[in-house]
Amino acid sequence: MLGYAVRRLAALAATLAVAALVIFLVMEILPGDPAEVMLGLNAQPDTLAALRAQMGLDRPAPERFLTWVAAFLSGDLGISYTYDVPVSDLIAERMVVTLPLALMAILISTAIALPCGVLAARYRGRFADSFIMGVAQLGVAVPNFWFAILLILLFAVTLGWTGAGGFPGFEDGILPALGALLLPSIALALPQAAILARVTRSAVVEVLGEDYIRTARAKGLSGGAVLWRHAVRNALAAPLTIMGLQFSFLLAGTVIIENVFYLPGLGRLIFQAIAQRDLIVVKDVVVLLVALVITVNFIVDLLYAWTDPRLRKAGSDV
Amino acid sequence: MSEPQLLTAVPTRTPFRRRAIRHPGFVLGGAISLLVLLTAILSLFWTPYPVTELNIAAKLRPFSTTYLLGTDHFGRDILSMLMVGAGNSVLVGIVAVGLGVGVGAPLGLLAAMRPGLISEAVMRASDLAFAFPALLTAVMITAIYGPGTVNSIIAIGIFNVPVFARLTRGVSLSIWQMEYVSAARATGVPPLQIALRHMLPNIASPLIVQATIQFALAILAEAGLSYLGLGTQPPQPSWGKMLHEAQTMLYFAPMLAILPGASIAVTVLGLNLLGDGLRDLLDPKLRGGSKRRLSST
């Protein structure tokens, strides 16, 4: 297990390094002069020169890359051009919204999807199965931002139970803040739950056909015990992997959902940074999000290997 | 006596067409996809009203015989906009999936036929690409090159390349080991010919199924980008853009938000059903009955 973890850790570091290089190439080298991109065509020459100096564009590209990576690792993400504050402060401030939002979405989607998937597998081919899978099929097709708008239409416009968006902040207490994140996290959770339910169902169905399940039944174990203790436990690896993969979609989803509900999170930050052409912020936030995705998938890989010892020996070639 | 009867009872494989029309998901998904495609083609030649023409006097009209699905805040005909939006979505899907298949499938074939360094390089590159969600890639690209349909299609299409490279490599690996491929290699058939004549036809089914699913994902991604204002630019209508404009008018014109969203959802649902149906119909492992009955004789 340790050897496997070390190998995966080396792969993680390499992937992160290459990802950073790709982002650097796309954001700093491809545009030619990023300072010109940020300031537009009508920029004053002295403003342009000042920004070039601030971004260190007078230095050679490899040096800039290494400086950026070193600074990033030490937590110094540079100064936002439009907000004129350290990017790390901006990110920390916005993370307070995005992180609870993503966690709530994961919780909600898991709480819905796992029982539904198991239920559908248990009653395979019957009405409950068809119904749950039909709803899941719809859930995959509905864009989360449209679902979000429909939620606003129902709960804010028609029923008047909640506001149509915005975020009160955590200063006035945790409950109102989490309340403001409830509809957005439901909107984010829907497509995730639909996919997760389908994967859970097929994983449980597959396990239910195994010999040891028949043995457990033959021993006289009750249906519930067989299902939960033997089948579900062994079927969890597949949904776990999917949850890891979904994390990247979830982060991407927050970019849209935060804009639907006007939540001051990372997604809205990156969106505003694009509108203002603040490439410094865009670059740092993208790196951070990509690093998060890679790290989460790394953790999932480890968990996966931990639950299934056969994978530790197998090559990384899947 | 029973012997010849058994022999005649051996069913030949049910023709694809007959199995297809008995598959409800395939039929429904196919019908929806066909409808969207025909609407998209029709919108190139004809829409009830010109979509870029503003007519403030006729703004926010309800459903009527003049304006079947009403008008928006600029007095534009919603049905016409939805039709052009369908064309936009289909175009994005075709180009994004075409880019994915066109670049990804050859790379995957190459990786399967040349194990070692090339295979490793292709696989690691696709690992890396998986770490960049399509939307983030698009965000980066639009941040530099500005928003627009072409940039968003490229961003979505790039994301499709590793999907098809991996899939093609995975299914080609087993085909590459088959005896008929070994025979072709032994007789000196050039690799390109082996790839095109012997491998491609055998890996086409999973590619087609995946293409349907990626088509749906591309439509969803483009709608998301357009909603954010990073995709299709006005005055060209797109479903995502229409949703964004409608959000500020939820209180007095909810239909403006419901119709484009429903168009996206129904189209994606249709493509997914079509993809699932194709998988059932094309996957030999799931091809019911005939195999078992044959082996029992």
Side-chain angles (χ1 to χ4, degrees):
Chain A
M1 182 75 199
L2 191 68
Y4 176 81
V6 170
R7 272 206 311 278
R8 292 293 307 152
L9 199 62
L12 168 83
T15 317
L16 282 175
V18 180
L21 185 63
V22 170
I23 292 167
F24 182 79
L25 286 175
V26 172
M27 305 287 299
E28 291 234 336
I29 307 298
L30 283 185
D33 187 348
E36 221 164 72
V37 173
M38 287 172 70
L39 294 176
L41 291 173
N42 304 321
Q44 300 292 329
D46 48 335
T47 332
L48 206 57
L51 182 61
R52 280 205 191 104
Q54 191 204 323
M55 293 175 75
L57 294 179
D58 40 352
R59 287 174 292 143
E63 189 194 324
R64 257 158 55 209
F65 175 66
L66 291 177
T67 321
W68 174 56
V69 170
F72 197 93
L73 289 177
S74 67
D76 170 22
L77 307 185
I79 308 285
S80 156
Y81 186 72
T82 40
Y83 295 91
D84 203 25
V85 290
V87 180
S88 48
D89 289 3
L90 276 178
I91 288 177
E93 196 179 285
R94 304 300 186 104
M95 210 55 153
V96 179
V97 179
T98 303
L99 209 59
L101 175 64
L103 288 178
M104 278 170 76
I106 291 177
L107 271 180
I108 293 173
S109 80
T110 315
I112 298 173
L114 285 188
C116 283
V118 173
L119 204 69
R122 167 79 182 73
Y123 295 102
R124 186 186 178 192
R126 295 207 238 145
F127 175 75
D129 181 21
S130 317
F131 180 76
I132 291 173
M133 284 305 110
V135 173
Q137 185 74 264
L138 263 180
V140 176
V142 169
N144 56 13
F145 52 97
W146 184 52
F147 185 57
I149 292 174
L150 292 183
L151 287 176
I152 295 175
L153 195 58
L154 178 63
F155 290 105
V157 178
T158 312
L159 297 172
W161 290 356
T162 61
F167 186 69
F170 284 99
E171 294 80 30
D172 302 337
I174 291 179
L175 277 184
L178 292 184
L181 295 180
L182 189 61
L183 284 191
S185 54
I186 293 175
L188 263 178
L190 171 89
Q192 317 284 337
I195 297 169
L196 201 57
R198 289 171 70 161
V199 174
T200 308
R201 176 188 175 276
S202 60
V204 175
V205 162
E206 197 172 305
V207 171
L208 280 176
E210 299 277 347
D211 287 342
Y212 61 84
I213 296 294
R214 205 177 332 141
T215 312
R217 285 217 179 96
K219 276 196 313 191
L221 281 184
S222 70
V226 172
L227 183 69
W228 291 103
R229 247 196 287 154
H230 293 265
V232 173
R233 195 189 265 187
N234 283 300
L236 275 183
L240 195 67
T241 319
I242 294 297
M243 279 167 77
L245 287 176
Q246 281 185 334
F247 189 73
S248 69
F249 288 103
L250 200 70
L251 282 179
T254 58
V255 178
I256 299 188
I257 292 298
E258 285 176 2
N259 277 292
V260 178
F261 289 95
Y262 301 102
L263 298 173
L266 272 186
R268 194 142 174 84
L269 174 66
I270 202 172
F271 177 72
Q272 288 164 332
I274 291 173
Q276 293 149 347
R277 307 209 136 215
D278 193 340
L279 291 192
I280 301 174
V281 172
V282 175
K283 189 175 67 178
D284 284 339
V285 177
V286 169
V287 164
L288 190 76
L289 292 181
V290 169
L292 265 175
V293 170
I294 296 175
T295 312
V296 166
N297 282 326
F298 165 73
I299 295 170
V300 169
D301 269 359
L302 283 191
L303 282 176
Y304 200 42
W306 183 57
T307 58
D308 190 344
R310 285 169 298 179
L311 287 169
R312 289 173 218 160
K313 290 242 172 71
S316 54
D317 227 15
V318 181
Chain B
M1 180 72 196
S2 63
E3 197 94 324
Q5 256 183 349
L6 249 180
L7 275 177
T8 50
V10 173
T12 50
R13 201 162 54 105
T14 329
F16 179 85
R17 207 185 305 163
R18 200 179 304 164
R19 280 185 297 130
I21 52 171
R22 285 201 214 117
H23 193 296
F26 177 81
V27 172
L28 183 62
I32 293 173
S33 307
L34 194 67
L35 182 72
V36 174
L37 183 67
L38 290 178
T39 310
I41 295 172
L42 179 66
S43 76
L44 295 176
F45 306 103
W46 178 83
T47 50
Y49 293 87
V51 282
T52 48
E53 202 176 85
L54 310 185
N55 181 7
I56 301 295
K59 70 171 183 178
L60 296 175
R61 290 277 171 85
F63 295 177
S64 67
T65 45
T66 333
Y67 299 102
L68 273 183
L69 297 178
T71 61
D72 75 350
H73 55 305
F74 290 127
R76 291 174 296 185
D77 178 47
I78 297 292
L79 178 63
S80 307
M81 290 175 77
L82 287 176
M83 286 173 68
V84 176
N88 188 57
S89 288
V90 169
L91 176 76
V92 169
I94 289 176
V95 180
V97 171
L99 195 66
V101 177
V103 181
L107 279 179
L109 270 174
L110 193 68
M113 292 166 70
R114 291 261 184 282
L117 204 61
I118 294 182
S119 170
E120 193 62 19
V122 169
M123 293 315 283
R124 292 293 83 84
S126 71
D127 270 350
L128 185 72
F130 271 118
F132 289 84
L135 201 87
L136 274 188
T137 318
V139 157
M140 278 202 305
I141 291 180
T142 47
I144 296 160
Y145 299 104
T149 312
V150 176
N151 288 349
S152 61
I153 290 179
I154 292 174
I156 297 165
I158 288 176
F159 180 70
N160 277 333
V161 172
V163 172
F164 285 100
R166 270 179 168 249
L167 178 71
T168 309
R169 177 180 171 275
V171 288
S172 308
L173 273 180
S174 55
I175 309 267
W176 185 242
Q177 310 294 336
M178 293 274 181
E179 278 163 13
Y180 65 88
V181 176
S182 306
R185 286 162 66 191
T187 51
V189 180
L192 185 67
Q193 206 176 329
I194 296 182
L196 293 179
R197 291 246 313 259
H198 300 285
M199 315 246 314
L200 206 55
N202 285 297
I203 59 169
S205 308
L207 285 187
I208 292 170
V209 171
Q210 194 65 38
T212 328
I213 293 161
Q214 296 306 124
F215 204 107
L217 287 176
I219 289 180
L220 276 178
E222 197 279 333
L225 286 175
S226 291
Y227 174 83
L228 288 175
L230 304 177
T232 309
Q233 295 298 301
Q236 173 79 0
S238 74
W239 291 341
K241 190 95 206 130
M242 289 172 77
L243 261 179
H244 177 73
E245 286 174 0
Q247 205 186 336
T248 50
M249 295 175 276
L250 271 186
Y251 282 88
F252 51 90
M255 264 305 154
L256 291 183
I258 291 174
L259 291 173
S263 305
I264 303 170
V266 169
T267 307
V268 172
L269 180 71
L271 284 164
N272 284 342
L273 286 174
L274 182 69
D276 287 354
L278 278 172
R279 178 178 302 158
D280 292 350
L281 294 168
L282 294 174
D283 189 346
K285 273 181 288 183
L286 297 171
R287 231 171 243 166
S290 57
K291 222 164 142 191
R292 224 174 307 132
R293 267 171 284 173
L294 271 172
S295 60
S296 68
T297 53

